[in-house]
Amino acid sequence: MQKANAALEAESSTDALTGLPNRRFALMALGRMFTLAERTGQRVLIAFIDLDEFKSINDTYGHDAGDAFLIEVGHRLSGGLRTGDVLGRLGGDEFIVVGLVPSGEMAGASVAEATRRRLASLIEGEFALGPCSFAYPGASFGVLHADPVSTSPEQALRDADALMYADKRERRREVDRFRARIAGVRERA
């Protein structure tokens, strides 16, 4: 009976596709991180990750390739975690990393930026997924360090999500500017 309960608990906290912690588990881990950070005088690092152009991957290569892509992204992100970090799949093409960082404003900001660079580099580049391969341009990130005394886990997650959407808008503008420059070059040629 105890083994069956443990198996059921593991299944209820695991994303069936990627094998990562699921949304429920990741959000519980976020709450635990806030409690621990408040007790130890630290901050909570939250990296909200949205895979840009995931729909295009599904539309171009099929849902099996899209699933394989999500699994591979999970593997790659797992390789970039610090000790104590928790990676989870929130659903669809969204992932989250949570962990603890020092309480100083500058220390937290530098850890947040270092986290963004480290995780982004893991998922940009070439993906070979069975019969298809492609160069993936990367994801949008909302990374912050939250003070558990002045904000709630829910508000911090909303703030990280808002940062991710701001990053996504900026990334789209860069692509649009690039396409406009290329179009201008073609017209002059």
Side-chain angles (χ1 to χ4, degrees), residues 5-186:
N5 285 341
L8 186 58
E9 177 62 31
E11 187 177 315
S12 72
S13 63
T14 303
D15 177 63
L17 177 64
T18 63
L20 295 172
N22 63 16
R23 177 183 194 84
R24 179 179 157 271
F25 184 90
L27 295 179
M28 286 181 1
L30 178 63
R32 286 192 302 271
M33 293 277 183
F34 263 76
T35 300
L36 182 58
E38 189 170 7
R39 213 172 36 237
T40 60
Q42 298 181 75
R43 289 179 174 247
V44 179
L45 175 80
I46 302 171
F48 197 107
I49 307 160
D50 182 82
L51 302 177
D52 295 344
E53 300 301 322
F54 179 67
K55 182 180 181 321
S56 296
I57 293 169
N58 269 339
D59 291 348
T60 303
Y61 302 106
H63 290 281
D64 288 343
D67 288 351
F69 177 67
L70 291 171
I71 293 165
E72 179 61 21
V73 166
H75 288 303
R76 291 183 184 195
L77 289 172
S78 293
L81 298 179
R82 302 169 306 147
T83 301
D85 284 351
V86 174
L87 166 66
R89 180 173 175 221
L90 293 178
D93 62 349
E94 295 179 338
F95 293 81
I96 188 172
V97 175
V98 296
L100 298 176
V101 294
S103 63
E105 189 73 29
M106 291 308 291
S110 64
V111 169
E113 182 53 34
T115 298
R116 185 197 193 295
R117 283 193 312 268
R118 182 178 70 250
L119 296 176
S121 71
L122 294 171
I123 56 178
E124 291 172 354
E126 200 63 33
F127 280 79
L129 308 170
C132 66
S133 65
F134 52 88
Y136 182 64
S140 296
F141 285 82
V143 185
L144 58 80
H145 55 99
D147 181 352
V149 174
S150 62
T151 193
S152 68
E154 297 79 15
Q155 183 60 50
L157 189 59
R158 283 192 298 271
D159 292 346
D161 185 45
L163 287 172
M164 181 277 299
Y165 275 106
D167 186 43
K168 185 176 286 294
R169 281 190 302 276
E170 182 57 32
R171 289 172 56 81
R172 283 185 185 143
R173 279 195 289 272
E174 287 175 26
V175 168
D176 290 345
R177 285 191 293 268
F178 174 74
R179 287 179 182 157
R181 283 195 307 273
I182 295 298
V185 169
R186 286 187 195 142

